[in-house]
Amino acid sequence: PLLTSLVSLPFGGDTPFQAEVWFINKLSKLNNRFGTPSPLQLEDPKYGLIVPVRAVGLFGFRVQDPKLFLTTLVGTARVFGAEKISEYFRGRLLACVGANIGAALAQKNISIVQIAVHLESLSDFCREKIAAEFARYGLEIVSFFFESINVPEKDPSYIKLKQIKEKAAELNIIGRDIYQY
């Protein structure tokens, strides 16, 4: 204290050595929910119909690189908690989800009617893409998975898609030569 008061005399009693201490929690925050606020308009790669799809799931993250996290994201904020990070990234996460579900369906040739069977592979595909976005800010995606990717049952395009699928199954069972003249 005596030395500090002597050093700070030429500076009007204030110390010229300013310092801030930041505490960064590196524990994982796993229960961050996400969901598409409005349906994603996706084209079914097998049948070519545009169908509205909703996606709901959970993701977990943690701070991987504290220095990068502080310099790119926190800035001048005094407190920057997990809720703030979730809120900040929700828009980016949903944009990545929308783009990558469509890309995964096209790459893997998965029909929207069969989407529930492929939730795990779709989750893995989207997680890889989203992880790159989070890594730019010093964050790591610890977990990411879809709880549900669904289509409103009463949507006309979904009803039409189911009818096409039923007709295709009927043709396979009965045989195509019956309908030829």
Side-chain angles (χ1 to χ4, degrees):
L2 179 62
L3 193 55
T4 303
S5 60
L6 284 175
V7 170
S8 61
L9 275 175
F11 301 101
D14 290 330
T15 180
F17 307 108
Q18 297 290 327
E20 288 186 7
V21 177
W22 287 83
F23 294 97
I24 298 183
N25 185 349
K26 292 183 72 177
L27 293 175
S28 299
K29 172 95 167 86
L30 300 175
N31 60 343
N32 301 290
R33 301 190 77 63
F34 70 88
T36 53
S38 60
L40 306 168
Q41 300 298 319
L42 300 177
E43 181 178 359
D44 188 291
K46 286 188 176 180
Y47 302 106
L49 289 173
I50 304 292
V51 181
V53 175
R54 289 191 179 272
V56 177
L58 286 168
F59 72 100
F61 65 90
R62 72 181 188 91
V63 176
Q64 175 68 30
D65 184 346
K67 184 177 179 182
L68 183 61
F69 175 72
L70 283 174
T71 57
T72 58
L73 196 58
V74 176
T76 59
R78 299 308 255 164
V79 177
F80 203 81
E83 292 78 24
K84 192 100 165 166
I85 294 170
S86 294
E87 180 183 314
Y88 180 78
F89 279 101
R90 186 157 284 119
R92 290 193 164 139
L93 181 102
L94 292 175
C96 284
V97 163
N100 290 308
I101 288 176
L105 292 177
Q107 279 183 10
K108 298 173 189 262
N109 199 28
I110 299 170
S111 173
I112 290 173
V113 178
Q114 304 164 327
I115 207 164
V117 178
H118 298 278
L119 283 180
E120 189 173 339
S121 66
L122 290 171
S123 296
D124 292 342
F125 184 86
C126 288
R127 178 185 179 181
E128 291 174 18
K129 306 296 183 184
I130 292 166
E133 179 70 21
F134 274 61
R136 291 180 34 211
Y137 297 93
L139 297 170
E140 174 189 16
I141 292 290
V142 177
S143 63
F144 178 89
F145 62 92
F146 292 111
E147 292 177 325
S148 170
I149 299 176
N150 58 51
V151 180
E153 292 287 328
K154 295 188 171 139
D155 184 76
S157 58
Y158 185 66
I159 292 169
K160 187 173 183 177
L161 184 61
K162 282 176 62 176
Q163 289 170 346
I164 291 170
K165 181 96 172 127
E166 288 169 4
K167 186 58 97 179
E170 183 180 319
L171 287 173
N172 284 336
I173 292 170
I174 297 174
R176 296 178 193 270
D177 52 278
I178 292 176
Y179 291 99
Q180 294 177 355
Y181 292 98

